[in-house]
Amino acid sequence: MVLKVFFPSCCSSADSGILIGRWISEQNSAVILAVVHFPFIPVQVKQYLGEVQRVTKVSVSVLGSWSNSKQEKEESLSEFLEDLGTIFCHEPWIQISKEGDSKFWSCSTLQKHSKNPQEEEIILVYYDQRKVMLSHLHPPLDTAGQGAEDASKLSAIFDTVARSQVLFMTDRYDEGPIKLTHWQSDGVEASIIVELLKQASVPACMLLAFLLSLLSGICRSRVLKFWPLSFLWSKLSTCEQLGHRLQHLQVISSNKKAQNQNQLMRKANIFVSLLVDVALGILLMSWLYRKNRIGHLADTLIPVADHVAEELQDLLQWLMGAPAGLKMNRALDQVLGRFFLYHIHLWISYIHLLSPFIEMILWYVGLSACLGLTVALCILSDIIALLTFHIYCFYVYGARLYCLKIYGLSSLWRLFRGKKWNVLRQRVDSCSYDLDQLFIGTLLFTILLFLLPTTALYYLVFTLLRLLVVIVQGLIHLLVDLIDSLPLYSLILRLCRSYRLAGESLSSAPAALEAFCIMCLILINPLSYGGVVQTYRLPTYSCYPRDSWASLCKKLFLGELIYPWKHKGDKQN
């Protein structure tokens, strides 16, 4: 049999005493948590361990004795330590001894109540008690195999140390009858600033929770469900981002305690993400209002809009002629060109009508950057959508005309083959047509076929313009999703205190060898940065396209409208 003894490295210089910890019979291992020094009263030790077990729900008991003879070895002390095994009655009784500053220790077991005592091979494993208690062991990605079994065994060790935090509250300065050595023996770590922040956070969170509940009630009221407000709330990305941040604030200000490590890390990641977002927004706002940059931006916006409108007019004039030497249907070409030119004329009039108020609008819009950089980016995306609304209208008109002709040609093509589309059964069935129907179908098919190139050219040009606008808005949404979903607190924790995020496996390095005793040291392998992002990534409100490239090309060919960066009513985790 192999006996594993997990010994805290902070107790290697402790005075002689008894070892308290947890015995894990399934793994035939002992987890040493602290050393109780002499002198002590066994009854008081048992009462203290019973109280600790009641609070922590961990079966803490006396596992053996610890002897640290800094001078010559005393036989009376060793005999006394062996006699303690009859008082506390633990099988096996572990005896660990160290002489002075020697690197080699003596480790053995006593089995007084066993009929066939066997000499066991002991593996003495050192571990950093502070790092193990503060770290969170992540399960392996593959839940099968030897790695998962080893991770489950190590998780019991980590869980034992983490749940025994009450045991580490007693230090050497306490006036109680029991003196312990553990990682906080020199004094319990505390900070006056942290304690003051904890006390001040309670009323602040209560006030914030009340204001957020009031704001949520206003958002859920029936006033916002009427057509204009509900339409704007569902279409503007700024409203979506504000609602998303409102949910984050509700999570942070909630008075419910985090049940596990994942919920605690989620709250911390949301809090740091909000702080960074607001800080970047304030920096952007300070940059905009410095040196009258908003006025320069407003003065530049109108000429840019006029230049874009002039380029569109030149493009339409080119399409109304003979683009690339192609011969179009002149009547339809003139009708479509004049129709779109009239829309551009309306758009220029609309822009010049708003030109006196643009600087004031931008001035108030810039103030929204104090709500966060993501809100400012969403407002920028909405402004781009409003400034390119005429391009969107051109795309919708061209797509509808092109889609109508494509479906009309496909339906008339089935008429030539003596078939029709069965709407009830959603399939193509055979059908007999008379001569008049075939004549009318042939006439319409010929008209649609010869008008298709003109419509397809306009559809192609405006689809490319629409895709250009969509790509710009998609890049802005990707940046917003990156800020919303990036677990900044976990990444900072991985950079500064990597042991807090223990990875899938832990390695042990041999330190020294002795007869029937192997001494090892636990080294914590931190979780990789990719694993940190994958584990603690925050959910976002936007959606990435679920359509494949084949389905997207099919929609473009058939003239169906596409919204590649967002699907209403879905959430992306």
Side-chain angles (χ1 to χ4, degrees):
M1 290 288 291
V2 178
L3 173 64
K4 293 182 181 180
V5 179
F6 293 86
F7 191 84
S9 57
C10 57
C11 297
S12 59
S13 60
D15 296 332
S16 301
I18 57 175
L19 303 172
I20 60 174
R22 177 191 177 191
W23 172 258
I24 305 176
S25 58
E26 297 83 3
Q27 304 179 17
N28 195 32
S29 59
V31 183
I32 307 300
L33 298 174
V35 175
V36 180
H37 305 292
F38 297 116
F40 57 82
I41 301 176
V43 176
Q44 293 179 345
V45 174
K46 290 182 178 180
Q47 291 177 354
Y48 176 72
L49 295 181
E51 183 179 354
V52 171
Q53 183 174 352
R54 178 181 59 83
V55 175
T56 62
K57 308 299 180 182
V58 178
S59 56
V60 182
S61 60
V62 179
L63 301 179
S65 61
W66 160 255
S67 175
N68 186 6
S69 302
K70 298 181 180 179
Q71 298 177 356
E72 297 181 357
K73 188 175 181 180
E74 300 179 1
E75 295 183 357
S76 59
L77 179 62
S78 61
E79 292 178 357
F80 174 71
L81 292 175
E82 291 180 2
D83 293 338
L84 288 176
T86 60
I87 299 176
F88 292 100
C89 300
H90 185 272
E91 193 77 16
W93 182 259
I94 303 172
Q95 290 183 328
I96 303 176
S97 62
K98 174 188 175 184
E99 295 185 8
D101 297 331
S102 175
K103 296 181 179 179
F104 296 93
W105 296 10
S106 175
C107 188
S108 60
T109 58
L110 291 178
Q111 300 178 357
K112 295 184 178 181
H113 301 285
S114 178
K115 296 181 181 180
N116 297 321
Q118 298 178 356
E119 193 167 10
E120 296 181 322
E121 181 181 357
I122 301 175
I123 300 178
L124 188 61
V125 183
Y126 287 106
Y127 72 94
D128 193 327
Q129 197 171 55
R130 177 176 178 271
K131 291 183 178 181
V132 171
M133 190 198 73
L134 296 177
S135 63
H136 175 60
L137 182 62
H138 295 78
L141 297 178
D142 51 339
T143 56
Q146 185 68 24
E149 184 179 355
D150 295 340
S152 63
K153 292 180 180 180
L154 287 171
S155 62
I157 311 299
F158 276 65
D159 184 66
T160 299
V161 180
R163 290 166 58 188
S164 304
Q165 190 174 2
V166 178
L167 183 67
F168 307 138
M169 294 294 105
T170 304
D171 53 39
R172 65 179 61 182
Y173 301 104
D174 290 337
E175 298 179 357
I178 298 177
K179 304 296 182 180
L180 300 176
T181 293
H182 45 74
W183 73 277
Q184 287 196 128
S185 300
D186 293 333
V188 178
E189 290 186 350
S191 173
I192 298 178
I193 298 178
V194 172
E195 294 298 327
L196 291 176
L197 288 177
K198 287 181 179 179
Q199 296 295 329
S201 63
V202 176
C205 287
M206 292 179 62
L207 178 61
L208 184 60
F210 172 74
L211 294 177
L212 290 176
S213 62
L214 184 62
L215 184 60
S216 300
I218 296 175
C219 295
R220 290 193 299 265
S221 63
R222 294 183 179 180
V223 178
L224 297 179
K225 294 182 180 179
F226 290 112
W227 176 76
L229 296 178
S230 62
F231 178 79
L232 292 176
W233 187 266
S234 61
K235 296 301 180 182
L236 294 180
S237 57
T238 305
C239 299
E240 295 281 351
Q241 178 63 21
L242 289 175
H244 186 62
R245 284 307 190 190
L246 180 61
Q247 294 178 359
H248 282 177
L249 289 173
Q250 289 176 346
V251 171
I252 293 175
S253 61
S254 175
N255 55 3
K256 294 182 180 179
K257 188 177 180 180
Q259 301 296 327
N260 49 38
Q261 180 71 14
N262 291 331
Q263 294 183 4
L264 182 63
M265 294 293 289
R266 181 172 180 266
K267 280 190 173 184
N269 286 321
I270 291 175
F271 181 72
V272 175
S273 177
L274 279 172
L275 285 183
V276 172
D277 188 17
V278 173
L280 293 176
I282 292 175
L283 288 177
L284 176 63
M285 185 176 64
S286 65
W287 181 81
L288 286 175
Y289 287 94
R290 192 179 302 168
K291 298 181 181 180
N292 195 22
R293 288 190 174 93
I294 289 187
H296 297 316
L297 182 62
D299 295 337
T300 310
L301 191 61
I302 300 300
V304 170
D306 290 338
H307 179 70
V308 172
E310 290 176 0
E311 292 294 333
L312 285 176
Q313 286 178 345
D314 295 339
L315 179 62
L316 288 173
Q317 293 293 342
W318 178 70
L319 291 176
M320 292 171 65
L326 299 176
K327 186 173 179 60
M328 299 294 164
N329 186 280
R330 185 168 182 80
L332 180 61
D333 194 9
Q334 292 295 322
V335 170
L336 292 178
R338 291 175 181 175
F339 176 76
F340 291 130
L341 284 174
Y342 179 70
H343 275 72
I344 293 177
H345 175 71
L346 290 178
W347 176 251
I348 294 175
S349 302
Y350 168 69
I351 291 295
H352 284 281
L353 184 64
L354 290 178
S355 58
F357 309 101
I358 286 182
E359 184 175 357
M360 183 180 62
I361 293 173
L362 291 179
W363 196 88
Y364 285 108
V365 167
L367 293 177
S368 63
C370 64
L371 300 177
L373 179 61
T374 55
V375 177
L377 290 175
C378 289
I379 292 176
L380 176 61
S381 176
D382 292 334
I383 290 176
I384 292 175
L386 292 175
L387 291 178
T388 59
F389 184 70
H390 55 304
I391 297 179
Y392 174 74
C393 293
F394 295 164
Y395 164 69
V396 171
Y397 298 152
R400 292 305 185 193
L401 286 174
Y402 177 77
C403 182
L404 178 63
K405 291 188 177 181
I406 288 293
Y407 280 101
L409 288 173
S410 62
S411 178
L412 294 173
W413 176 250
R414 286 192 295 267
L415 183 141
F416 289 155
R417 295 181 297 151
K419 298 180 180 299
K420 70 172 183 178
W421 175 254
N422 193 332
V423 181
L424 296 178
R425 298 188 178 183
Q426 295 294 311
R427 68 181 186 185
V428 178
D429 294 335
S430 299
C431 181
S432 59
Y433 297 97
D434 54 18
L435 188 60
D436 295 337
Q437 290 175 333
L438 291 175
F439 175 74
I440 297 297
T442 304
L443 186 61
L444 292 177
F445 183 84
T446 305
I447 294 174
L448 292 179
L449 183 61
F450 283 101
L451 293 179
L452 181 63
T454 305
T455 308
L457 182 61
Y458 277 88
Y459 168 70
L460 177 62
V461 171
F462 292 127
T463 300
L464 293 177
L465 292 176
R466 174 61 182 166
L467 288 179
L468 180 62
V469 176
V470 165
I471 288 174
V472 174
Q473 289 185 290
L475 292 176
I476 295 175
H477 279 272
L478 283 177
L479 184 57
V480 171
D481 287 347
L482 179 64
I483 299 175
D484 284 342
S485 63
L486 198 63
L488 297 175
Y489 176 77
S490 301
L491 291 175
I492 295 173
L493 200 63
R494 171 63 178 85
L495 180 63
C496 300
R497 297 187 178 183
S498 58
Y499 62 87
R500 294 286 299 271
L501 302 174
E504 301 175 3
S505 61
L506 285 86
S507 59
S508 58
L513 297 175
E514 194 175 287
F516 300 104
C517 182
I518 301 176
M519 306 176 70
C520 301
L521 176 65
I522 286 184
L523 301 177
I524 298 179
N525 294 329
L527 197 65
S528 63
Y529 287 97
V532 171
V533 174
Q534 182 179 0
T535 304
Y536 296 108
R537 184 175 181 270
L538 297 173
T540 60
Y541 76 93
S542 295
C543 273
Y544 300 102
R546 295 173 297 182
D547 299 328
S548 61
W549 286 104
S551 61
L552 183 61
C553 293
K554 180 182 177 181
K555 287 184 177 180
L556 290 174
F557 179 76
L558 296 178
E560 297 179 5
L561 298 180
I562 54 172
Y563 302 94
W565 76 91
K566 186 177 177 182
H567 294 276
K568 185 180 177 180
D570 296 335
K571 285 188 178 181
Q572 176 73 23
N573 291 327

